[in-house]
């Protein structure tokens, strides 16, 4: 390369300087630079590398570039990605740009080589040079000690290099210098001066690094100190906790303490809770134990400790609300008003616990809701059905994982007041097993002597339940644990008659459902005929729950037709019901119609109301076997045996083969075998069916009976008369045989039922049979006491059916 000036593509470098004899790799992205590289590659791979004065200049002009750079050799070009190439260059000789004569598509300049000063051997060996080299070595040593990650070969090169010019270039390329400093090294032709300059920069850099190090140390030690302080503070907190001292630092703990103190709780409770907060302060924030304590404190603080609603004790106001919400139920309402009256006279007195007993859907829950409304108490319900574990009532100790307070505390917390009306549903379904007896826990809850300091296992602190009013509901009193039953005042709610149901559906259920379905009175009319049919043919229940559901179904249909069927209003008549309800009416009861042999209508009482219980008897020639089927309990089986013995002693009287127990097989069956049946009250029905089957005499139509039988044929009193007679009426029965001893219970039976049924009191089985069986058909021979018409059992005048008052209309016949 003898030419001293030549034209060459230019690559403008940003923040980078390339020194002679140095290999360097860098990435290039600017199109003008890539174009310059391609041009160079097309020719002799020589390119002028010169640094820009400002890094930010995108398209540099002549004034933006330093003048001195290196003419370098491109050893490799790699495409790294779209629009970016990696170049490897080997720095060549120093050159000065004379004129940048092309700026597009790439820079091109006319450059002139700078003469390389050749140092004499004497100069290189001179003491001055040696001193300079040593100084460089010392400075570099210091530098290398301060920066990390300097490659070892750099260090050895520096140690071994005796050429001050090269050493200056080498260091300028490899140590941290500012662009101007590098450039000034590049521009310096004299090797000695170049290295001296470099030493100056290196010394200054060492100072900067020393200062930086010092600052870093300071920051580091400060950090360490603050960490140490933090640990110490935590330790102090723990120690303070051990000493029973409080720590003012922690906001959460302070907040808990403030909230506890604000509640003004009894001293014992307050100090217990504060102790828990202290315990919490000793726990690391994230520990499981601290989560448990926090959960506990939250539950305790959420209790409505000081909140009570102002009770309204006013009999008249309460009467209005109860009457408005419910039709009938006079006895229940009266009893509830009495309770309110007592409290009005003596607000401090301990109230009775009411237990509403009756079949489903007769309004037990809804009357309790009305009571809460009348008394201005909040209502909280909890169902005891299936509760077998004491912990359900009393909570789990908080040491258990996932432990919670019991249902009583939970319900009070939910009600957000300390004097709610707690409605305990299904108290008759309370179970008990090895996990403890929930009834005992409940007893404590309900006992006014004890419940002013009820202790829940989870809460641990006493809670005063004495302001809570309790009402319980049940389907039957039979399964309520005795001690609980003794604590409560039982109020019975019976089945509704069809007429009552009509009033309820007209005045309560329909308006309620219309409102819930967004309908106006005028938009859906259901005429009385349809309502009666709904009650009679589309529901079979003691209460009105299904009835309410049917009414809701009609309302839904009305909503739909008004919205999509272009209908303004809907009037429902009986004939529309099958389509609107999407069901056909229940078939009418068959019990009443025919006279049959060996089939008798018994009457049963169940939790959901009364029912007709058929007894069927078949007799076949055989060896005297007795078979009983239909899911019967022991009492029922014994009662069948008793009936059989009783008849055996009367074979003469009823012209039964005296040997029948030897040569006849008897099968007694109660249909609907899926339903368990027990109790003695089917006795006379079994005896009648047996006698009918054995004699072939038919049982009169429209007749039902209930009564226990003794071996001697006496008829004993039974329970559940009200529900049973209601069932008889519902099923189209006209005459009911009842034990004489139950006559006094007729007082309590609904007027409509009394008017519609004929009640025949009986004292022994002969009266029953003479009343129930038709006369023998073929045999004309008169049996001993076989009157064709009943003589021994006349209907009671007082309870004879009222056939003349048009009351029949209201009843299904
Ligand atoms: P229970 O708790 O006895 O099973 P509910 O209280 O749930 O029955 O009653 C079912 C529905 O019947 C409720 O909507 C209730 O308002 C209504 N109801 C029951 N009896 C009457 C009544 N005598 N007057 C008005 N509505 C009643």
């Amino acid at each position: 390369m003898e030419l001293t000036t030549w034209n060459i593509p230019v690559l403008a470098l940003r923040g980078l300087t390339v020194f002679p004899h140095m290999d360097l790799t860098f990435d290039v992205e600017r199109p003008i630079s890539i174009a310059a590289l391609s041009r160079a590659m097309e020719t002799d791979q020589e390119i002028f590398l010169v640094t820009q004065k400002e890094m930010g200049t995108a398209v540099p002009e002549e004034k933006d570039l330093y003048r001195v750079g290196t003419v370098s050799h491109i050893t490799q070009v790699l495409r790294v990605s779209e629009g970016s190439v990696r170049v490897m260059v080997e720095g060549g000789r120093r050159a000065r740009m004379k004129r940048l004569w092309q700026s597009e598509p790439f820079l091109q300049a006319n450059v002139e080589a700078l003469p390389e000063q050749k140092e004499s051997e004497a100069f290189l060996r001179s003491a001055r040079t040696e001193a300079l080299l040593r100084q460089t070595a010392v400075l570099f040593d210091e530098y290398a000690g301060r920066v990390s990650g300097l490659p070892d070969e750099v260090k050895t090169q520096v140690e071994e290099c005796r050429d001050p010019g090269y050493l200056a270039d080498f260091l300028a390329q490899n140590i941290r210098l500012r662009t101007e400093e590098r450039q000034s090294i590049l521009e310096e032709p004299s090797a000695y001066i170049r290295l001296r300059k470099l030493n100056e920069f290196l010394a200054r850099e060492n100072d900067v690094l020393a200062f930086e190090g010092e600052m870093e140390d300071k920051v580091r030690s400060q950090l360490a100190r603050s960490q140490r302080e933090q640990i110490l503070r935590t330790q102090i907190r723990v120690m303070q906790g051990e000493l029973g001292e409080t720590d003012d630092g922690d906001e959460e703990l302070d907040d808990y303490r403030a909230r506890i103190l604000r509640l003004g709780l009894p001293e014992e409770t307050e100090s217990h809770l504060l102790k828990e907060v202290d315990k919490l302060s000793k726990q690391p924030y994230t520990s499981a134990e601290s989560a448990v304590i926090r959960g506990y404190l939250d539950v305790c603080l959420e209790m409505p400790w000081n909140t009570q609603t102002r009770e309204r004790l006013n009999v008249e106001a309460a009467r209005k609300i109860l009457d408005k919400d419910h039709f009938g139920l006079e006895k229940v309402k009266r009893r509830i008003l009495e309770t309110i009256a007592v409290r009005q006279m003596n607000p401090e007195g301990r109230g009775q616990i009411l237990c509403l007993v009756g079949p489903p859907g007769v309004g037990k829950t809804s009357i309790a809701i009305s009571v809460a409304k009348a008394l201005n108490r909040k209502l909280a319900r909890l169902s005891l059905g299936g509760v077998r574990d004491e912990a359900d009532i009393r909570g789990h100790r908080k040491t258990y994982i996932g432990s919670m307070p019991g249902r009583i505390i939970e319900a009070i917390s939910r009600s957000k007041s300390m004097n709610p009306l707690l409605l305990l549903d299904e108290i008759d379904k309370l179970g008990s097993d090895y996990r403890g007896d929930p009834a005992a826990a409940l007893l404590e809850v309900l006992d006014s002597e004890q419940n002013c300091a009820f202790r829940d296992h989870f809460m641990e602190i006493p809670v005063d339940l004495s302001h809570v009013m309790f009402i319980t509901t049940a389907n039957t009193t039979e399964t309520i644990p005795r001690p609980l039953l003794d604590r409560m005042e039982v109020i019975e709610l019976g089945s509704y008659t069809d007429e009552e149901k009509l009033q309820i559906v007209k005045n309560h259920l329909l308006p309620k459902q219309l409102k819930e379905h967004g309908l106006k009175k005028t938009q859906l009319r259901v005429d009385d005929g349809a309502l009666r049919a709904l009650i009679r043919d589309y529901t079979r229940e003691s209460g009105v729950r299904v009835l309410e559901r049917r009414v809701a179904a009609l309302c839904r249909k009305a909503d739909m037709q008004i919205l999509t069927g272009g209908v303004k209003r809907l009037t429902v008549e009986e004939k529309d019901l099958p389509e609107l309800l999407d069901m056909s009416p229940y078939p009418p009861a068959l019990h009443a119609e025919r006279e049959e042999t060996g089939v008798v209508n018994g009457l049963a009482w169940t939790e959901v109301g009364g029912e007709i219980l058929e007894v069927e008897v078949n007799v076949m020639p055989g060896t005297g076997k007795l078979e009983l089927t239909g899911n019967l309990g022991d009492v029922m089986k014994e009662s069948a045996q008793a009936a059989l013995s009783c008849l055996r002693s009367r074979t003469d009287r009823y012209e039964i083969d005296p040997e029948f127990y030897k040569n006849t097989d008897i099968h007694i069956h109660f249909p609907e075998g899926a339903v368990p049946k027990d109790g003695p009250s089917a006795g006379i029905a079994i005896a009648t069916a047996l006698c009918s089957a054995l004699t072939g005499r038919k049982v009169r139509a429209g007749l039902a009976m209930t009564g226990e039988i003794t071996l001697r044929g006496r008829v004993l009193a039974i329970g559940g008369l009200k529900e049973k007679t209601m069932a008889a009426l519902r099923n189209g029965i006209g005459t009911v045989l009842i034990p004489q001893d139950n006559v006094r219970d007729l007082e309590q039976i609904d007027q409509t039922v009394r008017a519609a049924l004929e009640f025949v009191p009986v004292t022994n089985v002969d009266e029953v049979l003479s009343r129930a069986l038709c006369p023998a058909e073929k045999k004309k021979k008169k049996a001993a006491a076989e009157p064709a018409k009943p003589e021994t059992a006349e209907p009671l005048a007082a309870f004879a059916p009222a056939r003349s008052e048009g009351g029949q209309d209201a009843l299904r016949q």
Side-chain angles (χ1 to χ4, degrees):
M1 236 192 288
E2 289 314 312
L3 277 173
T4 49
T5 73
W6 66 103
N7 290 324
I8 187 167
V10 178
L11 185 61
L13 301 171
R14 291 187 285 187
L16 190 73
T17 312
V18 178
F19 286 84
H21 316 297
M22 304 295 150
D23 293 334
L24 219 66
T25 304
F26 52 91
D27 289 349
V28 173
E29 280 172 357
R30 279 186 290 187
I32 50 163
S33 307
I34 294 174
L37 280 172
S38 342
R39 164 51 65 94
M41 293 306 285
E42 284 162 16
T43 52
D44 51 4
Q45 304 188 11
E46 298 278 299
I47 193 161
F48 181 60
L49 300 176
V50 65
T51 310
Q52 299 183 185
K53 293 177 184 163
E54 300 283 338
M55 288 244 287
T57 317
V59 186
E61 294 170 19
E62 193 170 337
K63 64 173 174 36
D64 299 320
L65 301 171
Y66 285 111
R67 298 218 78 85
V68 178
T70 48
V71 173
S72 303
H73 184 72
I74 302 170
T75 49
Q76 208 175 6
V77 178
L78 287 174
R79 178 170 288 273
V80 226
S81 66
E82 191 62 34
S84 161
V85 292
R86 180 156 299 163
V87 242
M88 277 171 228
V89 295
E90 187 189 317
R93 60 194 298 187
R94 288 180 159 77
R96 177 191 306 278
M97 179 168 68
K98 293 186 74 177
R99 197 165 68 85
L100 188 75
W101 55 268
Q102 180 184 312
S103 55
E104 270 183 316
F106 55 90
L107 305 178
Q108 198 152 202
N110 183 256
V111 299
E112 158 195 47
L114 288 178
E116 212 42 41
Q117 271 192 19
K118 260 275 169 248
E119 313 294 348
S120 66
E121 200 60 18
F123 165 74
L124 289 177
R125 292 179 178 279
S126 71
R128 220 159 61 110
T129 310
E130 182 59 33
L132 190 64
L133 285 173
R134 280 191 198 169
Q135 185 191 27
T136 309
V138 170
L139 286 171
F140 180 75
D141 213 35
E142 188 183 339
Y143 175 84
R146 291 196 192 281
V147 296
S148 54
L150 215 56
D152 281 346
E153 61 265 26
V154 175
K155 291 180 196 162
T156 29
Q157 273 215 30
V158 173
E159 272 164 29
E160 284 166 10
C161 181
R162 317 290 331 147
D163 178 348
Y166 176 82
L167 187 59
D169 287 349
F170 178 77
L171 285 175
Q173 188 79 76
N174 287 298
I175 65 170
R176 208 187 315 166
L177 289 182
R178 289 214 292 275
T179 309
E180 312 84 86
E181 291 170 344
R182 278 212 187 93
Q183 187 65 30
S184 77
I185 302 275
L186 185 68
E187 285 179 10
E188 179 51 60
S190 149
Y192 182 82
I193 299 178
R194 219 186 297 157
L195 189 58
R196 215 179 56 202
K197 253 190 194 168
L198 187 102
N199 282 355
E200 275 169 35
F201 295 146
L202 197 53
R204 207 186 56 93
E205 187 62 26
N206 280 342
D207 284 350
V208 172
L209 285 175
F211 199 63
E212 263 182 22
E214 221 171 274
M215 290 213 299
E216 205 169 293
D217 282 350
K218 260 193 197 146
V219 170
R220 203 172 298 139
S221 71
Q222 206 140 21
L223 259 181
R225 195 180 325 132
S226 75
Q227 265 170 359
R228 228 168 74 87
E229 271 172 21
Q230 185 127 21
I231 294 166
L232 282 175
R233 218 168 270 142
T234 315
Q235 282 174 344
I236 291 173
R237 220 170 53 208
V238 175
M239 284 189 268
Q240 276 181 331
E242 298 279 341
L243 293 170
E245 291 171 10
T246 54
D247 163 38
D248 299 329
D250 201 316
E251 263 179 44
E252 187 199 24
L253 301 177
D254 278 354
D255 182 50
Y256 273 132
R257 286 194 188 97
R259 280 166 69 194
I260 292 165
L261 293 174
R262 221 180 296 141
L263 289 174
L265 297 170
E267 213 176 301
E268 182 199 352
T269 311
E270 188 179 281
S271 68
H272 177 90
L273 292 179
L274 288 175
K275 255 189 220 146
E276 288 294 322
V277 181
D278 288 343
K279 255 193 238 167
L280 180 62
S281 69
K282 285 173 220 152
Q283 300 294 332
Y285 189 84
T286 47
S287 73
E289 176 73 20
S290 83
V292 170
I293 301 179
R294 235 174 262 130
Y296 170 75
L297 287 171
D298 289 340
V299 168
C300 290
L301 289 171
E302 260 164 37
M303 277 293 282
W305 291 108
N306 296 318
T307 320
Q308 289 208 3
T309 54
R310 208 188 143 92
E311 194 178 14
R312 176 174 47 212
L313 288 169
N314 181 331
V315 177
E316 274 318 307
R319 185 199 304 277
K320 274 197 195 119
I321 290 178
L322 289 180
D323 281 343
K324 184 163 161 281
D325 289 353
H326 292 93
F327 169 83
L329 300 175
E330 297 306 334
K331 208 173 93 190
V332 184
K333 288 181 192 165
R334 200 179 334 121
R335 184 63 196 84
I336 287 172
L337 290 175
E338 279 167 17
T339 314
I340 297 175
V342 174
R343 288 185 63 86
Q344 193 175 348
M345 297 295 276
N346 174 18
E348 295 312 311
R350 299 202 178 274
Q352 260 288 343
I353 294 155
L354 301 179
C355 175
L356 305 176
V357 180
V362 293
K364 299 181 295 298
T365 312
S366 91
I367 208 124
I369 294 172
S370 282
V371 173
K373 198 157 77 176
L375 294 177
N376 189 34
R377 283 174 183 255
K378 301 256 178 132
L379 181 94
R381 288 176 68 173
L382 61 134
S383 176
L384 298 171
V387 167
R388 332 193 117 258
D389 190 347
E390 191 187 349
D392 270 334
I393 304 290
R394 221 196 263 278
H396 287 281
R397 288 190 197 288
K398 72 175 186 295
T399 39
Y400 286 101
I401 300 280
S403 49
M404 283 185 305
R407 295 192 187 195
I408 301 285
I409 293 298
E410 187 267 334
I412 291 176
S413 186
R414 195 158 21 98
S415 80
K416 300 209 172 10
S417 77
M418 285 307 266
N419 66 336
L421 191 161
L422 272 197
L423 182 61
L424 310 177
D425 272 330
E426 303 194 310
I427 195 163
D428 52 334
K429 309 276 190 311
L430 203 64
S432 78
D433 60 15
Y434 63 94
R435 281 169 291 193
D437 183 5
L442 202 56
L443 209 57
E444 195 188 315
V445 172
L446 298 180
D447 186 349
S448 53
E449 299 294 321
Q450 295 180 47
N451 72 5
C452 54
F454 172 69
R455 266 175 210 271
D456 183 278
H457 286 329
F458 179 83
M459 296 275 282
E460 292 169 348
I461 45 183
V463 178
D464 182 2
L465 300 181
S466 61
H467 298 289
V468 178
M469 177 169 180
F470 294 97
I471 293 188
T472 62
T473 75
N475 291 136
T476 167
T477 50
E478 278 181 21
T479 49
I480 303 180
R482 193 75 226 178
L484 270 180
L485 193 60
D486 289 345
R487 290 280 140 78
M488 302 188 290
E489 161 125 13
V490 172
I491 304 179
E492 288 197 11
L493 288 82
S495 310
Y496 290 123
T497 59
D498 285 5
E499 203 53 35
E500 284 172 325
K501 287 184 186 174
L502 181 68
Q503 295 304 325
I504 294 174
V505 69
K506 259 167 94 167
N507 299 322
H508 296 275
L509 304 183
L510 186 58
K512 187 163 122 194
Q513 290 301 328
L514 285 176
K515 200 165 155 207
E516 267 175 34
H517 288 78
L519 290 164
K520 291 205 196 76
K521 255 194 191 155
T522 48
Q523 287 175 309
L524 174 67
R525 272 179 220 264
V526 188
D527 74 6
D528 276 10
L531 289 177
R532 279 184 206 283
L534 268 186
I535 295 164
R536 188 182 59 226
D537 300 331
Y538 293 86
T539 62
R540 261 188 198 166
E541 55 171 350
S542 307
V544 291
R545 235 183 236 175
V546 180
L547 183 59
E548 185 167 20
R549 233 181 288 145
R550 301 271 185 263
V551 172
L554 293 180
C555 293
R556 275 202 307 277
K557 285 282 176 339
D559 274 351
M560 203 59 193
Q561 294 203 2
I562 287 169
L563 289 176
T564 61
V567 181
K568 282 241 167 63
R569 62 181 65 90
L570 194 68
T571 306
V572 179
E573 294 175 16
E574 183 176 348
K575 64 175 173 27
D576 309 323
L577 292 177
E579 194 197 324
L580 289 175
L581 295 175
D582 204 10
M583 65 184 281
S584 35
Y586 292 134
L590 292 174
H591 307 287
E593 262 125 58
R594 273 172 294 137
E595 293 178 342
E596 281 184 86
T597 316
V599 182
V600 173
N601 295 318
L603 292 171
W605 177 88
T606 68
E607 287 173 18
V608 295
E611 263 175 45
I612 292 278
L613 180 70
E614 273 190 351
V615 190
E616 292 179 348
V617 176
N618 250 359
V619 290
M620 305 142 275
T623 55
K625 270 190 282 184
L626 174 66
E627 204 171 340
L628 293 163
T629 52
N631 203 349
L632 310 181
D634 286 343
V635 180
M636 194 100 162
K637 286 181 187 160
E638 283 163 13
S639 155
Q641 298 278 8
L644 191 65
S645 297
C646 173
L647 272 190
R648 266 182 70 185
S649 62
R650 283 173 160 74
T651 46
D652 263 7
R653 190 167 187 166
Y654 296 103
E655 297 183 4
I656 302 171
D657 176 3
E659 300 285 292
F660 82 90
Y661 63 94
K662 285 193 200 148
N663 57 23
T664 316
D665 282 352
I666 299 174
H667 185 171
I668 305 178
H669 177 66
F670 291 78
E672 297 194 47
V675 187
K677 308 169 189 81
D678 204 6
S681 71
I684 61 171
I686 299 173
T688 309
L690 263 174
C691 187
S692 161
L694 288 168
T695 59
R697 288 168 65 181
K698 288 194 166 141
V699 180
R700 286 182 201 280
L703 186 88
M705 62 184 71
T706 177
E708 181 175 349
I709 194 171
T710 68
L711 281 182
R712 296 303 194 78
R714 272 191 305 132
V715 178
L716 303 184
I718 45 83
L721 188 68
K722 188 174 169 195
E723 306 297 333
K724 286 177 175 174
T725 52
M726 205 89 90
L729 181 63
R730 230 183 7 247
N731 285 281
I733 301 287
T735 307
V736 183
L737 306 192
I738 58 167
Q740 176 72 47
D741 290 346
N742 281 106
V743 168
R744 58 172 183 274
D745 298 333
L746 287 176
E747 298 289 343
Q748 296 173 11
I749 287 178
D750 195 275
Q751 289 284 355
T752 23
V753 180
R754 255 175 12 195
L757 289 179
E758 177 189 2
F759 289 100
V760 181
V762 287
T763 51
N764 66 57
V765 71
D766 299 315
E767 286 172 14
V768 174
L769 293 173
S770 69
R771 182 69 209 209
L773 297 179
C774 299
E777 276 171 9
K778 282 182 231 147
K779 295 174 190 164
K780 292 279 180 266
K781 208 170 35 156
K782 262 198 164 188
E786 190 67 63
K789 280 269 169 195
E791 284 164 0
T792 42
E794 276 302 314
L796 282 182
F799 301 116
R803 299 208 188 279
S804 54
E805 280 151 23
Q808 293 302 305
D809 272 4
L811 300 156
R812 184 153 46 105
Q813 291 296 321

